[in-house]
């Protein structure tokens, strides 16, 4: 019996053996011909037999049936079945799966497939923004990422911007997301030391060098960045070469900004302006009890004195001070790759002018990204970038000595001429106290120069297939040199016979990060991924200031020429040490779970609170891959996901936990020191608890896609500057106390309305509904706070439990009394006031009324509408952004619609429609020099409903037919035209509806409308 | 792989064990506050820091100095919106125009003084020689004297004049004689208590302070001068007399002669300067556009400036008693007297620009020292105290007064045969003439319950200043807004602190 069995077995074995052959081959990608490592190769119908390609994409089977069918699969590629047909070498080319849900995206410390990623993240590819003229990339994300809100700081070239991801989660510690470029957290924000001129460090990154953005929104996506991730993370990946021969690309863009994007308190005609001016003084005398003829004589005499007509007519200040700004950008990049080497280099020059003649930004950037396999399993990668950026700017704050826009709208009468009749320049102040820029601009210099080099060095060692150790070292050196010079003839230099300041800031950031990653597929169904790492980060800033006064002549602009000099300098910084880990598991492409853990130690805290733990758990279920949906072909994808986790925010203060004693408070040329801070030694990071549920679906082979996410973000232990009695010598102490909550829904719907060989038309719309509220404050006490931009408390807000953090706080405007023309405010207290209106007590003087919450700058919904239309080689892309609901506060209107109080200033066209006689129904009160000061209070008179939609960018491009190109040896030539902010529809027509991040619009330079033309050539 | 993991583990352990040290950082311009005062030199450094703070524009650098001049009728504000016109208009409210930053800065100075005093008293500062001991005592004396001055200034800003009926038991200011912890909420002591504390601090300070002339710092005579002034405000003329005459009789300081009086404003630390604050560009104490220089200088002189005030007609008329008065030497054409291309607003020859802060031109013009106490004031204190002390001595009073009055070279000397009232008026007028722009007039009139007259006729200038919600043309100590409100910043954080009447 035994023999029989053995015999049968032997026969079968021999039979099989005779049918077996040895098969090997190489798997490459159809896109660039590069080998595909780690591809899975199974044999159809045979259990337990399989292979994985090595780093060169090579696989082999020793014993394979001659008629076996190989099933090759790899993430990001379309799976293929290939019959062996007796061949011993079977080379396979895998097609890239262009489906969005199979796209590989960069995530925290690695990559993931979009369709399987458990966290909440959005990817923006640089293709769709490549033609938009902008010095920095941030504005391009507006309207394209649900939950992300971008705000311009100023229309000045080079200014810094603000981003908010999923609302406002902090009062004190910053709300900006963390920026990570090629795996390294980078220096971000404003780096200039010139007062009130911001200079965005992201200007050093050439948008053309960017391949993709990934915006990480929930804890599962971002918790690996731990104590810095609560406000979301923006991952930026720069370009690399594509397999194939050397590719040379040259792109040139020229553009111009002829006007602002929207109205900005347009002026009335000079004649109307004179009429308003006259009324101010005429009404003053009537208010003083004088007769109309006395009033007329008084007003006329003041007109004759203060606003005499010039024989040359009216001077056009707008025309003299604003220009059609030019934009130019030249990009040259070389890239390529073969099996072992990958390179991308770029060199670019950009010049962006502001509409004010003194505002320009010049930039030269260069980049070299190289990776090289020095051994089969050892890869070295170097990214080097260099940027030199210069910004010439001007002070954007409320300052009637420096702010051009403010002066144009509020201080330059057409009667003022820059020269006297004899042609000599007017060097004295005008009656409105404005200075003559056309004279003074040549007597000053005000610029920042930024020089940045970054060096990232990565070594990646594949120890065995699936186990990869990698270590990264990054060094970022940014040097910012500010130069500020006023000639002795300049009004700002005359008091000290000329001044010149040089301020140097050297920012150094070092990051060392080492990770080990293990990826294993068990039994073809279980995929396990484990990552562990260690990271150290050190930041240091060296600051030096040299200041000189008493200059020898009107043109010496360097310190050495100064008769008196002072200097100062010191350094500060912070450090972070972290351990991190991530574990992911998936089963059969259906169930995914992941978790992450990071432990951060920060120098910003004392020994008690230094270390913090941050973690997340997440899961997703890919329903489409279940048996019951697998065969429903019109459903392409169906998935739900959820996550919960904790991440944090570090305080903006480096040393907030310790009471410091600082030097530099000198006296009699001897050193002096003072206690500069009072501290809470138990100060800690802010903690965010984020819960996220997402639903993803696509249908009809991805022609229609719909995604929805719900999130709840509880921010606790918020750092709060708690007001303390000034008798202590301090005004506030930084303490962890407050709490806020943001919850919201993000919807994203897109569809290919037309999809055929010649025509493709895609439309996408996204909408974010975010509800923010303050949930806890110290002692339950409300906190009044002010918009910190502009430097003069331009808008007043209230943090109050249960209310939005963006609640405007002030007096409630009741309108203009039709009988008297006075502005009215509701009392909102139990005092009687000056009368009643709409059945409520009102007062003519805002200071008698009680503050209430008058509105809120949070929109009900905001988002974008994006469409792209292609016909053969012609394509048209449009991106709209919109915002509905919510209020915007105009802090400038109190100057340009001041009821006559600031008598010697110009007023907006709106004032033409002022109250003039009893019965007039208007929202502009009667003007008089005796005006009650109410217009200067924070009131809802300056609050507007803010609904708008704006065509952020539009671009039209045409690829020259390839047949033609082959003759001239170009691989591609593309011509394009694009425009930003071309069209805006808003619920008010006085000022630009895209306010700052607090929902305030003011006297900062408005943003412009830019039109560009470009040529893009690839060899 | 095991090897690699163990390497990583080892590196991690190594780093983490040294992490705590790696994570201890301070900026290079600072040290931890608890370790800052251990040597005599460091105590001096801390004292320098206090003087530096006193030069801030919210204290003696500008506001404290101009406050009394703007409110006392000697100055006139030409148009709405000039620097701190609320001082002139008295339109203070709890929530605005409350000048809470003055309160904040003065209490900061007090906190810094207390920090120095506590560190010395707790023995944190080590001394090895008797010279060091004396130096340390001097520092402590300076801190005590400045603490007293700061409390006195707070009283002058926030509390009723001592001699007003009921004032001694009315709301003074919170006394801070130690470093106040962050969460403490002090309430106001009575005016009497604060005076007692001020006098106690000064009398403790005087014996331990050095008595040599000390440029830029407060010495024994500085403390005595402040004490004399405190007694004068309190109506304790006997003690005021004692302190003032001790300074005069010490002969450490001498009056400027009429010949060099004008030039004394162009140099630092003159023979009269008992306590003069040093303001210089090299210490970064130069306040530029928030300096006293910029407050008084007209735009025609320098387009960077816009005078906040000019001398009033009544002041100019008083000074015009003697056209030869040497003090005309610091008066110059104001914006009405020299209006460039502005003929209709001109008042030809009007010399309302007070040039006490134009410096010696060696540094930035705005870096001009501020004289907190000088000998002329001490003479006038001595004159007033001689007149009013228990045993009045008119001869002495007239003698001290005439030492200053002689600067009006054509005026006859005051006579001891004049009535008490007439002499008091002469002394007050002399204080006005001599001490204008040095921060006295309003306080002088208020401490004695006099009436302030504002001569701001609307017809004179074509942009009349608007007095809405503020004062009338006269102000007496019965007007509630002669003292500032406690700002709502303080009241929000410290709700039990009492508000001044009229601001609730």
């Amino acid at each position: 019996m035994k023999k029989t069995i053995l015999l049968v077995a032997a026969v079968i074995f021999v039979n099989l053996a005779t049918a077996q052959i040895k098969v090997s081959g190489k798997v490459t990608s159809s896109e660039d011909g590069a080998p595909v490592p780690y591809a899975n190769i199974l044999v159809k119908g045979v259990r337990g037999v399989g292979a994985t390609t090595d780093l060169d994409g090579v696989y082999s089977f020793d014993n394979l049936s001659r008629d076996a069918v190989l099933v090759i699969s790899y993430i990001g590629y379309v799976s293929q079945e290939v019959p062996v047909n007796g061949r011993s070498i079977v080379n396979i080319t895998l097609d890239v799966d262009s489906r969005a849900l199979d796209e590989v995206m960069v995530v925290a410390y690695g990559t993931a497939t979009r369709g399987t990623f458990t966290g909440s993240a959005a990817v923006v590819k640089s293709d769709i923004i490549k033609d938009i003229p902008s010095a920095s990339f941030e504005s391009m994300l507006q309207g394209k990422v649900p939950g992300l809100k971008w705000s311009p700081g100023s229309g000045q070239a080079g200014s810094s911007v603000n981003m908010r991801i999923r609302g406002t989660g902090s009062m004190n510690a910053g709300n900006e997301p963390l920026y990570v470029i090629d795996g390294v957290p980078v220096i971000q924000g404003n780096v200039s030391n010139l007062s009130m001129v911001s200079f965005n460090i992201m200007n050093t990154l050439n948008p053309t060098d960017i391949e993709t953005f990934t915006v990480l929104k929930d804890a599962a996506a971002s918790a690996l960045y731990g104590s810095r991730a609560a406000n979301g993370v923006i991952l930026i990946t720069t370009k690399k070469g594509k397999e194939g021969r050397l590719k040379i690309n040259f792109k040139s863009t020229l553009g111009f900004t002829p006007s602002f994007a929207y109205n900005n308190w347009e002026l009335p005609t000079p004649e109307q302006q004179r009429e308003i001016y006259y009324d101010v003084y005429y009404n003053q005398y009537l208010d003083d009890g004088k007769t109309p003829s006395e009033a007329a004589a008084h007003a006329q005499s003041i007109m004759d004195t203060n606003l005499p007509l010039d024989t040359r007519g009216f001077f056009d200040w707008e025309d003299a001070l604003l220009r059609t700004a030019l934009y130019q950008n030249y990009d040259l990049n070389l890239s390529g790759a073969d099996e072992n080497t990958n390179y991308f280099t770029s060199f670019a020059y950009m010049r962006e002018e502001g509409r004010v003649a003194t505002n320009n930004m010049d930039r030269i950037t260069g980049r070299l990204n190289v990776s090289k396999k020095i051994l089969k399993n050892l890869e070295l990668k170097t990214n080097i970038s260099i940027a030199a950026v210069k910004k010439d700017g001007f002070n954007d704050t409320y300052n009637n000595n420096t702010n051009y826009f403010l002066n144009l709208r509020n201080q330059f009468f057409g009667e003022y001429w820059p020269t006297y009749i004899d042609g000599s320049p007017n060097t004295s102040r005008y009656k409105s106290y404005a200075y003559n820029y056309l004279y003074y601009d040549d007597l000053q210099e005000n610029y920042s120069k930024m020089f940045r080099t970054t060096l990232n060095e990565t070594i990646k060692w594949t120890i065995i297939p699936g186990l990869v150790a990698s270590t990264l070292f990054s060094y970022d050196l940014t040097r910012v040199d500010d130069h500020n010079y006023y000639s002795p003839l300049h009004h700002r230099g005359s008091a000290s016979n000329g001044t010149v300041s040089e301020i140097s800031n050297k920012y150094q950031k070092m990051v060392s990060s080492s990770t080990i990653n293990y990826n294993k597929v068990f039994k073809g169904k279980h995929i396990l991924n484990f990552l562990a790492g260690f990271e150290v980060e050190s930041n240091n800033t060296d600051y030096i200031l040299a200041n000189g006064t008493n200059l020898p002549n009107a043109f010496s602009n360097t310190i050495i020429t100064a008769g008196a000099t002072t200097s100062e300098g010191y350094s500060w910084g912070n450090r972070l040490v972290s351990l991190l880990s991530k574990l992911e598991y998936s089963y059969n492409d259906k169930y995914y779970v992941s978790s992450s853990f990071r432990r951060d130690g920060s120098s910003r805290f004392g020994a008690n609170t230094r270390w913090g733990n941050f973690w997340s758990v997440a899961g997703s279920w890919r329903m489409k891959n279940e048996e019951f949906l697998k065969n429903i072909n019109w459903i392409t994808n169906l998935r739900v996901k959820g996550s919960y986790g904790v991440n944090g925010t570090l305080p903006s203060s480096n040393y907030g936990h310790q009471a410091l004693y600082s030097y530099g408070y000198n006296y009699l040329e001897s050193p002096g020191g003072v206690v500069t801070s009072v501290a809470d030694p138990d100060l800690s990071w802010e903690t965010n608890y984020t819960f996220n549920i997402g639903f993803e679906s696509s249908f009809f082979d991805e022609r229609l896609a719909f995604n929805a996410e719900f999130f709840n973000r509880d921010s606790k232990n918020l750092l709060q500057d708690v007001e303390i009695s000034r008798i202590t010598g301090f005004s506030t102490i930084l303490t962890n106390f407050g709490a806020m909550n943001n919850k919201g829904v993000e919807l994203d719907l897109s569809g290919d309305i037309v999809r055929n060989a010649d025509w493709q038309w895609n439309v996408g719309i996204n909408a974010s509904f975010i509800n923010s509220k303050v949930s806890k404050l110290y002692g339950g006490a409300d906190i009044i706070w002010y918009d910190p931009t502009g430097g003069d408390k331009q808008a007043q807000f209230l943090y109050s439990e249960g209310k939005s953090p963006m609640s405007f706080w002030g007096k409630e405007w009741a309108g203009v009394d039709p009988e008297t023309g006075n502005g009215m405010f509701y009392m909102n207290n139990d005092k009687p006031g000056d009368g009643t209106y709409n059945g409520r007590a009102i007062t003519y003087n805002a200071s008698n009324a009680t503050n209430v919450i008058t509105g809120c700058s949070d929109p009900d919904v905001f988002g974008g509408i994006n469409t792209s239309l292609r016909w053969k080689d012609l394509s048209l892309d449009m991106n709209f952004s919109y915002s509905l609901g919510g209020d915007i506060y105009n802090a400038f209107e109190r100057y340009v619609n001041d009821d006559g109080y600031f008598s010697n200033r110009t007023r907006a066209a709106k004032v033409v429609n002022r109250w003039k006689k009893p019965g007039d129904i208007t929202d502009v009160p009667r003007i008089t020099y005796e005006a009650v000061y109410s217009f200067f209070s924070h009131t809802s008179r300056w609050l507007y409903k803010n609904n708008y939609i704006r065509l952020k960018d539009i671009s039209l491009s045409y690829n020259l037919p390839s047949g033609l190109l082959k003759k001239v040896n170009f691989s591609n030539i593309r011509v394009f035209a694009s425009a930003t902010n071309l069209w805006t529809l808003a619920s008010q027509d006085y000022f630009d509806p895209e306010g700052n991040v607090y929902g305030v619009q003011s006297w900062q330079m408005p943003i412009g409308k830019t039109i560009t033309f470009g040529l893009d050539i690839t060899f | 792989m095991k090897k690699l993991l163990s390497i990583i583990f080892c590196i991690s352990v190594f780093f983490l064990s040294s992490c705590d040290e790696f994570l201890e950082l301070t900026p290079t311009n600072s040290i931890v506050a608890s370790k800052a005062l251990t040597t005599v030199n460091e105590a001096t450094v801390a004292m320098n820091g206090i003087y530096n703070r006193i030069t801030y524009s919210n204290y003696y650098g500008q506001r404290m100095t101009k406050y009394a001049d703007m409110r006392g009728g000697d100055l006139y504000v030409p148009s709405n919106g000039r620097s701190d016109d609320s001082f002139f208009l008295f339109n203070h409210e709890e929530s605005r125009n409350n000048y809470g930053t003055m309160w904040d800065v003065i209490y900061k100075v007090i906190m810094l003084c207390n920090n120095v005093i506590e560190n010395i008293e707790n023995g944190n500062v080590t001394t090895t020689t008797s010279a060091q001991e004396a130096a340390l005592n001097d520092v402590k004396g300076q801190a005590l004297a400045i603490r007293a001055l700061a409390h006195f200034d707070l009283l002058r800003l926030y509390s009723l004049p001592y001699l007003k009926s009921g004032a001694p038991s009315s709301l003074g200011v919170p006394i801070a004689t130690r470093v106040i912890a962050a969460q403490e909420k002090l309430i106001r002591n009575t005016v009497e208590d604060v005076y007692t504390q001020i006098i106690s601090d000064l009398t403790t300070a005087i014996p331990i302070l050095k008595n040599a002339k000390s440029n830029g710092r407060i010495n024994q005579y500085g403390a005595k001068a402040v004490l004399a002034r405190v007694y004068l405000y309190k109506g304790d003329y006997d003690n005021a007399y004692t302190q003032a005459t001790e300074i005069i009789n010490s002969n450490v300081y001498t009056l400027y002669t009429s010949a060099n009086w004008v030039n004394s404003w162009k140099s630092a630390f003159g023979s009269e300067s008992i306590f003069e604050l040093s303001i210089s560009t090299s210490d970064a104490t130069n306040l530029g556009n928030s300096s006293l220089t910029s407050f008084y200088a007209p735009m025609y002189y320098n387009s960077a400036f816009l005078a906040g005030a000019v001398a009033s007609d009544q002041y100019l008329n008083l000074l015009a008693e003697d056209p030869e008065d040497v003090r005309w030497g610091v008066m110059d054409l104001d914006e009405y007297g020299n209006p460039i291309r502005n003929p209709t607003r001109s008042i030809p020859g009007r010399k309302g620009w007070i040039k006490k802060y134009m410096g010696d031109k060696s540094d930035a013009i705005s870096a001009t020292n501020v004289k907190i106490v000088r000998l002329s004031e001490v003479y006038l204190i001595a004159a007033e105290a001689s007149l009013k002390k228990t045993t009045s001595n008119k001869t002495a009073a007239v003698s001290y007064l005439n030492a200053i009055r002689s600067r009006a070279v054509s005026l006859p000397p005051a006579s001891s045969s004049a009535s008490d009232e007439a002499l008091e008026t002469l002394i007050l007028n002399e204080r006005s003439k001599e001490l204008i722009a040095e921060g006295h007039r309003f306080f002088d009139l208020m401490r004695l319950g006099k009436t302030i007259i504002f001569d701001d006729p609307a017809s004179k200038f074509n942009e009349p200043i608007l007095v809405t919600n503020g004062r009338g043309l006269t102000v007496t100590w019965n007007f509630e807004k002669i003292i500032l409100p406690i700002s709502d910043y303080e009241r929000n954080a410290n709700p039990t602190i009492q508000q001044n009447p009229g601001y609730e």
Side-chain angles (χ1 to χ4, degrees), chain A residues 112-365:
Chain A
T113 312
R114 199 192 274 198
T116 67
F117 186 58
T118 51
S120 172
V123 175
V124 177
K125 287 190 189 166
S126 65
D127 299 4
I128 67 163
I129 53 181
K130 62 176 182 267
D131 294 337
I132 303 168
S134 177
S136 68
F137 54 85
E138 291 101 320
S139 66
M140 305 172 179
L141 299 177
Q142 164 83 331
K144 297 176 188 84
V145 177
L148 179 145
K149 205 161 174 6
W150 163 90
S151 308
S154 156
Q156 274 201 59
S159 291
S160 53
V161 300
N162 292 101
M163 300 271 246
R164 291 288 179 272
I165 296 175
R166 291 186 164 178
T168 303
S170 177
M171 292 180 267
N172 190 288
N175 280 296
E176 297 295 318
L178 176 74
Y179 288 81
V180 176
I181 300 177
D182 290 333
V184 182
V186 295
I187 305 165
Q188 61 190 76
N190 172 34
V191 288
S192 173
N193 258 304
L194 289 176
S195 63
M196 303 308 173
V197 177
S198 70
F199 195 13
N200 184 1
I201 191 171
M202 292 301 163
N203 287 328
T204 57
L205 184 62
N206 180 0
T208 314
D209 289 350
I210 298 173
E211 179 81 44
T212 60
F213 303 93
T214 311
V215 180
L216 307 180
K217 297 193 277 192
D218 72 342
S222 65
L224 263 190
Y225 289 104
S227 61
R228 294 169 293 178
N231 298 315
V233 181
I234 295 180
L235 302 177
I236 296 160
T237 310
T238 58
K239 284 180 178 159
K240 56 184 186 187
K242 294 209 166 81
E243 186 106 348
R245 67 182 186 94
L246 166 69
K247 199 171 109 183
I248 302 170
N249 177 267
F250 176 74
K251 185 172 160 189
S252 156
T253 312
L254 291 171
F256 59 98
T257 306
S259 64
F260 293 131
Y262 198 65
N263 293 340
N264 293 284
W265 294 116
E266 304 307 312
L267 293 170
T269 64
E271 291 75 19
Q272 287 170 329
Q273 197 72 264
R274 288 182 71 80
E275 208 182 296
I276 293 167
Y277 194 86
Y278 180 91
D279 270 11
V280 167
Y281 292 99
Y282 180 81
N283 288 335
Q284 177 205 355
Y285 259 42
L286 293 188
D287 290 346
D288 287 349
K290 305 276 170 53
T291 65
S293 64
E294 282 172 322
H298 168 69
Q300 195 54 51
S301 93
I302 287 192
M303 290 289 284
D304 294 345
T305 309
N306 289 355
L307 216 54
L309 282 168
D310 194 291
T311 51
R312 294 166 288 181
F314 295 109
F315 185 76
D316 189 345
W317 283 98
E318 173 134 352
D319 188 52
L321 291 179
L322 298 182
R323 62 181 173 184
T324 291
L326 299 182
Y327 171 87
Q328 48 185 313
N329 189 29
Y330 308 97
D331 268 300
L332 175 67
N333 55 62
L334 276 70
S335 64
D338 61 24
E339 283 178 18
N340 294 319
T341 312
N342 182 309
Y343 60 94
F344 172 85
T345 74
S346 79
F347 180 76
Y349 170 74
M350 190 215 73
R351 180 178 168 86
E352 184 182 343
E353 293 180 346
R355 291 203 65 210
V356 168
T358 55
N359 176 220
N360 297 308
M361 193 174 97
D362 283 274
R363 172 174 74 195
I364 294 172
T365 53

